[in-house]
Amino acid sequence: GPERAIARIVLAGGTAPLKNLSKHLSAELKVPVSVIDPFAFLKNPPADIPPALAPAFAVAVGLALRRNRDWL
């Protein structure tokens, strides 16, 4: 609604790291835009995943962090 504002946008998925996508969206929407790194919080992030592919794993990492019966 009009009383709320978007403070930032985080891109995820396979097309998130497209060249200049975050810059273009930020300029058009006047909101800071960044690309997610789902492995940033890990002590030992996987070394065999190229940084350009990391945003594609956002949903998989999120699901892997769930606990049994987390949905109840």
Side-chain angles (χ1 to χ4, degrees), residues 9 11 20-33:
I9 296 172
L11 300 176
N20 295 324
L21 178 62
S22 60
K23 290 180 187 177
H24 176 72
L25 289 174
S26 182
E28 287 291 318
L29 302 173
K30 310 289 190 270
V31 176
V33 178

Side-chain angles (χ1 to χ4, degrees), residues 51-72:
L53 291 179
F57 289 93
V59 173
V61 171
L63 289 173
L65 292 173
R66 293 182 66 173
R67 291 183 228 143
N68 192 22
R69 302 236 180 231
D70 203 15
W71 59 90
L72 294 178

